[in-house]
Amino acid sequence: MSGRLIALAILAISSTAVDARDFTDAGGRVVDVPDVIAVALPAGPPAAVLLYTLAPDKLAGWVNEPSGAAAAFLTPQSVALPTYGRLTGSGGDANMEVVLQAKPDIIIDVGTVNPTYIDLANRVQEQTGIPYILIDGSFEKSGETYRLLGELLGEEARAEVLATYADDTLAQLATTLAAVPADQRPSIYYGRGDEGLETGLSGSINVEILEAAGATNVAAAAGKGGLTDVSLEQILAWNPDIIIAARGSFAEAAKTNPDWSSIAAVKSGAVYVAPSLPFGWIDSPPSANRLIGVRWLQELFYPDAVDIDLAADTKAFYSLFYDVDLTEAQVGKLVGGALPTAH
């Protein structure tokens, strides 16, 4: 660490060591955190979304600068926040000196919790002197995650509202799946990137809501792990019932490129684009946005077994979680390519 960075770290330590309390995070780490937390810095994109939805006034800034298209689905004051980059994980690009100058009271990391991320948390905390908290970002723990973060930030009342929404969503999903036999659930390929050849393996947090919604992720046949590249030949062999594209460019290519034409999903016209503004409904990042994403997937997978008004649900979700009131045109833009045309 440079002399300047050491000096800044000492300053950060002095600003956070007063009136500390113990907090046990999802990694089992007991961390001294301030009694009052006014500024929280997200370590990665999932934490940025959770902090924005729970305590926007405490969000120090973004990991990735919101695009112009995404800005229309966020509050103006949040769009104006600075961008700090990613502290940990793949593609970590944060400038630590800039991070320390922001003087956050705490750093929050949400997502997978394993020895690698625990080690990263310990190292960043040691280098910066800023308390670093790991929170489990798995979809099934959405309600628990909000309650834990609410306790940490002193935002218990708001957290309980969001956690109750998450609990109700999971309960409604369980009711739907109980009514749909296993042999009536689809096989899915989820393609990322312009070519659609990046996807998530079994156990990947990036695709976990596909299986949560009762579908079979065909890429699970390639093994367990996170994101991976696959070949068109593999996808042809898996022959999924439905293809979901993270980008419209890939959906268009799958529909028009003869190389994809023999896949069952393409032959039946079951190629859809996942809504992605301001955040993806499946991943990018895997966070609270999945709560509206799983409602969409039920409507897509089981239209005869659910009674979901997706447009109304979308408006309600964006109002509650993102503090924005969507127009009919914005709802249409979100779900326009996400459901069958005749829907």
Side-chain angles (χ1 to χ4, degrees):
M1 192 185 302
S2 69
R4 177 176 170 75
L5 193 54
I6 291 172
L8 289 165
I10 292 173
L11 178 62
I13 292 170
S14 65
S15 67
T16 58
V18 178
D19 297 328
R21 56 188 159 115
D22 286 343
F23 185 89
T24 303
D25 73 5
R29 304 163 59 247
V30 180
V31 181
D32 286 343
V33 301
D35 275 344
V36 177
I37 295 173
V39 182
L41 183 76
V49 177
L50 277 175
L51 285 169
Y52 170 72
T53 58
L54 176 62
D57 292 342
K58 295 181 178 179
L59 176 63
W62 296 105
V63 175
N64 301 311
E65 183 178 1
S67 67
F73 295 83
L74 297 167
T75 62
Q77 54 270 38
S78 72
V79 173
L81 292 171
T83 300
Y84 291 99
R86 183 193 295 261
L87 266 69
T88 62
S90 60
D93 55 1
N95 182 318
M96 295 306 293
E97 290 198 27
V98 174
V99 167
L100 290 169
Q101 288 172 338
K103 298 181 182 178
D105 296 313
I106 198 164
I107 298 172
I108 306 291
D109 196 3
V110 178
T112 301
V113 178
N114 59 28
T116 298
Y117 283 97
I118 291 173
D119 181 61
L120 284 168
N122 289 334
R123 281 195 280 151
V124 173
Q125 181 171 291
E126 181 180 352
Q127 290 173 355
T128 64
I130 302 172
Y132 190 116
I133 296 295
L134 285 169
I135 294 180
D136 188 339
S138 60
F139 178 66
E140 67 178 4
K141 294 186 177 179
S142 296
E144 180 181 328
T145 294
Y146 270 118
R147 292 186 177 95
L148 188 66
L149 199 56
E151 176 193 346
L152 175 65
L153 299 179
E155 299 284 350
E156 290 90 347
R158 166 76 174 162
E160 185 57 35
V161 171
L162 302 183
T164 298
Y165 181 99
D167 292 345
D168 290 346
T169 298
L170 289 171
Q172 188 264 346
L173 173 62
T175 299
T176 297
L177 294 181
V180 180
D183 62 0
Q184 295 179 21
R185 301 177 187 179
S187 61
I188 304 293
Y189 175 73
Y190 176 60
R192 294 164 52 104
D194 289 331
E195 309 226 333
L197 297 178
E198 182 182 60
T199 192
L201 297 168
S202 174
S204 168
I205 194 172
N206 298 84
V207 294
E208 67 172 329
I209 71 163
L210 295 178
E211 292 189 356
T216 298
N217 171 24
V218 295
K224 292 186 176 181
L227 295 173
T228 188
D229 292 328
V230 298
S231 67
L232 175 58
E233 289 70 26
Q234 284 179 295
I235 302 169
L236 291 169
W238 292 332
N239 197 29
D241 300 321
I242 295 176
I243 291 175
I244 296 178
R247 294 183 184 177
S249 53
F250 163 51
E252 187 61 25
K255 292 175 184 176
T256 58
N257 187 331
D259 293 341
W260 291 74
S261 62
S262 65
I263 298 175
V266 178
K267 289 195 287 188
S268 66
V271 180
Y272 305 103
V273 182
S276 60
L277 295 172
F279 312 110
W281 285 14
I282 290 180
D283 70 340
S284 301
S287 190
N289 32 304
R290 296 175 298 178
L291 293 170
I292 185 61
V294 83
R295 293 186 182 225
W296 155 59
L297 291 178
Q298 290 174 77
E299 179 69 11
L300 179 62
F301 296 165
Y302 321 114
D304 298 327
V306 297
D307 183 18
I308 288 177
D309 184 338
L310 188 60
D313 282 2
T314 300
K315 287 183 176 180
F317 177 85
Y318 277 64
S319 176
L320 178 60
F321 282 77
Y322 299 156
D323 195 24
V324 294
D325 294 322
L326 298 183
T327 65
E328 295 295 334
Q330 285 178 311
V331 174
K333 183 175 183 179
L334 282 169
V335 303
L339 292 169
T341 304
H343 183 82

